[in-house]
Amino acid sequence: MSCNGLAKRIIPCLDVKNGETVKGTNFVNLRTAGDPVELGRAYSEAGADELVFLDITASFEGRKTFTDMVSRVAREINIPFTVGGGINALEDVERLLYAGADKVSVNSSAIRNPNLINEIAGKFGSQVCVCAIDARLDDDGWHCYVKGGRERTELGLYDWAMEVADRGAGEILFTSMDHDGVKQGFANEALAEIASRVSIPIIASGGAGAKEHFRDAFIKGKADAALAASVFHFGEIAIPELKDYLRKEGISVR
């Protein structure tokens, strides 16, 4: 069985821009990876445990396109899915849940207004609120970044992770910007450090390139779930094979 008894989750992530799935490296150089609704259906059928859809250009026009897509996804899949991007107020959460999402992910908006986490958890329940944290290891330690990784804040990664847990977030989705799209493995030391400080589940993001990387995120990083994009989108790792591999490595998966 896995370290903490609960089955580990495998979560494909779809970054959506103008209705298409895109993928980059270190948050730049985006390329197209297909229709998000079709990809979502394919992942659901392949045994993904959950999906994450992120609206990476959440302008007003993009928001309308994205909400339509959320409704289409909800009709096509039967696994939980989280949506994020441009969520600044309870009305945004309501709109996306009404469209069919199971959870919402907040990032920059929660750093700007930490009380948003309390509000979402208070109104819809902690299980609906996923707090995404994008961070980078700088010379003076791990720092949180906002605006799609473009702007550094003075918030330390571990302090912020503890605060969002205290405020009622149900999960933390941690992306190491240095590892994003590089396919050299997840930031396991940082993951394990977060896991030692909070009692809510941690989703590892940024760095999947091989099946071993998922195993290491669960064993060394103490993550509860592992999220990846390009290795799934471009057919480099098939979810059923990944789950077989993890089972052979003694990790409990669904």
Side-chain angles (χ1 to χ4, degrees):
M1 283 294 282
S2 64
C3 329
N4 61 9
L6 283 176
K8 304 297 188 183
R9 291 169 287 150
I10 301 297
I11 306 177
C13 178
L14 297 90
D15 289 342
V16 179
K17 182 182 183 184
N18 304 328
E20 285 193 340
T21 311
V22 294
K23 183 60 196 134
T25 304
N26 301 121
F27 285 45
V28 292
N29 302 326
L30 300 178
R31 54 183 175 146
T32 303
D35 176 68
V37 180
E38 284 174 22
L39 274 171
R41 185 197 304 123
Y43 288 139
S44 177
E45 289 167 359
D49 298 301
E50 296 185 20
L51 295 171
V52 170
F53 292 85
L54 297 176
D55 180 1
I56 62 169
T57 48
S59 64
F60 177 72
E61 200 32 58
R63 201 166 281 177
K64 192 170 170 317
T65 311
F66 188 73
T67 308
D68 292 345
M69 184 216 74
V70 169
S71 304
R72 296 199 342 264
V73 167
R75 288 197 292 271
E76 294 290 340
I77 69 171
N78 54 7
I79 55 175
F81 72 107
T82 300
V83 295
I87 294 169
N88 299 303
L90 287 179
E91 301 81 81
D92 299 320
V93 180
E94 213 147 33
R95 170 173 53 81
L96 293 165
L97 295 177
Y98 186 73
D102 297 279
K103 311 178 197 179
V104 297
S105 165
V106 289
N107 188 339
S108 304
S109 57
I111 288 179
R112 277 197 310 273
N113 170 23
N115 211 41
L116 181 62
I117 298 168
N118 306 64
E119 290 174 4
I120 296 171
K123 178 154 190 190
F124 304 105
S126 286
Q127 78 286 348
V128 163
C129 185
V130 178
C131 194
I133 304 177
D134 297 333
R136 172 176 272 150
L137 182 54
D138 296 326
D139 293 340
D140 56 348
W142 280 96
H143 279 270
C144 300
Y145 278 70
V146 292
K147 298 188 178 164
R150 288 188 289 277
E151 199 175 287
R152 176 181 143 131
T153 72
E154 287 314 299
L155 269 180
L157 166 63
Y158 305 125
D159 290 341
W160 179 234
M162 290 191 291
E163 182 175 341
V164 305
D166 288 344
R167 285 178 176 276
E171 290 179 279
I172 290 171
L173 166 53
F174 164 55
T175 302
S176 163
M177 293 169 57
D178 303 301
H179 294 70
D180 177 65
V182 183
K183 302 188 180 179
Q184 298 296 309
F186 295 92
N188 294 317
E189 282 181 25
L191 279 164
E193 184 61 35
I194 299 170
S196 74
R197 294 180 183 225
V198 303
S199 57
I200 60 175
I202 313 295
I203 304 166
S205 165
K211 295 172 193 164
E212 294 76 15
H213 296 154
F214 289 87
R215 174 198 67 200
D216 292 348
F218 295 137
I219 293 173
K220 296 178 184 169
K222 308 279 189 278
D224 299 274
L227 175 146
S230 55
V231 291
F232 296 143
H233 300 341
F234 301 115
E236 294 156 44
I237 296 177
I239 291 171
E241 286 167 28
L242 172 60
K243 287 193 165 186
D244 284 344
Y245 164 81
L246 291 170
R247 285 187 196 102
K248 289 190 180 104
E249 292 290 316
I251 293 163
S252 166
V253 289
R254 294 182 181 182

